[in-house]
Amino acid sequence: HLGPKLQIPPRSVSLISTITIGIFVPMYNRIHVLCLRRITKHEEGFVEAFNFIRQIEIYNQQFPENMRSIAASLFFCTIARANYLSSLVVSLVHGLMGRNGKPDCLTNDINQGRVDYFYYLLAGLGVINLVYFVLCARKYKYKSVEIQQGKPNLDLELNLVKH
């Protein structure tokens, strides 16, 4: 509910997310990325790998050309898997914390629950995810990309360079 008269159906949340990404992708590409490139003089961003747009951009830059559509579909499979995982975490919290007649931390009555415990759990999972990401990022080797001064960046496949 957003006020007494406006109610957003739960099924439309994913649509709102998709529309928001569609609106902000052009702004991201035209403003944010260009500013970072001017400031850092690097092609790649910093913590940008945590957001969806950068993830798709990495797929398009680093995957071979004939696998890019597979990479895009894997991206959406990752989102689906994350949704199932979040449902599993909520179910586990309900099942493991709500014992002996006590309400769990996500009870419907917010005065009886301890939502802060749930957020501590999410923060802990986020830290584990960050550590795993850093370990993977350190081992990753970027595909070489030719960068020319004053010209737009062109992604080149090492074995498919045309003359």
Side-chain angles (χ1 to χ4, degrees):
H1 294 280
L2 296 174
K5 296 185 179 183
L6 180 63
Q7 181 177 356
I8 298 174
R11 284 181 248 138
S12 66
V13 172
S14 62
L15 178 64
I16 292 170
S17 178
T18 303
I19 290 171
T20 304
I21 289 172
I23 290 171
F24 285 104
V25 166
M27 291 187 334
Y28 170 84
N29 282 332
R30 299 291 179 226
I31 298 169
H32 181 71
V33 172
L34 291 176
C35 289
L36 274 178
R37 286 179 184 163
R38 286 183 187 147
I39 293 169
T40 64
K41 307 288 190 240
H42 292 289
E43 179 65 24
E44 309 304 327
F46 297 106
V47 191
E48 293 179 80
F50 290 112
N51 67 40
F52 294 144
I53 300 168
R54 183 64 185 145
Q55 189 174 357
I56 291 174
E57 195 174 82
I58 286 174
Y59 289 160
N60 286 334
Q61 287 177 354
Q62 299 297 315
F63 274 55
E65 189 171 333
N66 57 353
M67 289 185 64
R68 289 181 183 165
S69 62
I70 293 173
S73 60
L74 287 175
F75 167 74
F76 289 109
C77 288
T78 302
I79 293 173
R81 188 174 58 226
N83 287 332
Y84 282 118
L85 185 61
S86 68
S87 296
L88 176 67
V89 169
V90 169
S91 295
L92 286 173
V93 165
H94 282 308
L96 296 175
M97 294 183 125
R99 293 185 176 172
N100 301 329
K102 294 182 180 179
D104 61 76
C105 63
L106 293 177
T107 186
N108 287 336
D109 185 1
I110 197 165
N111 294 323
Q112 290 183 350
R114 293 293 309 256
V115 180
D116 55 334
Y117 290 164
F118 183 70
Y119 284 109
Y120 294 144
L121 173 66
L122 292 181
L125 291 173
V127 168
I128 292 169
N129 188 34
L130 178 64
V131 169
Y132 179 70
F133 170 79
V134 169
L135 291 174
C136 291
R138 284 188 175 176
K139 301 244 183 223
Y140 184 79
K141 303 290 184 217
Y142 281 99
K143 180 174 81 172
S144 65
V145 176
E146 186 175 306
I147 300 175
Q148 299 174 356
Q149 292 293 340
K151 294 184 179 178
N153 181 22
L154 302 173
D155 292 340
L156 300 175
E157 297 291 329
L158 294 177
N159 59 352
L160 297 176
V161 177
K162 296 180 182 178
H163 298 283

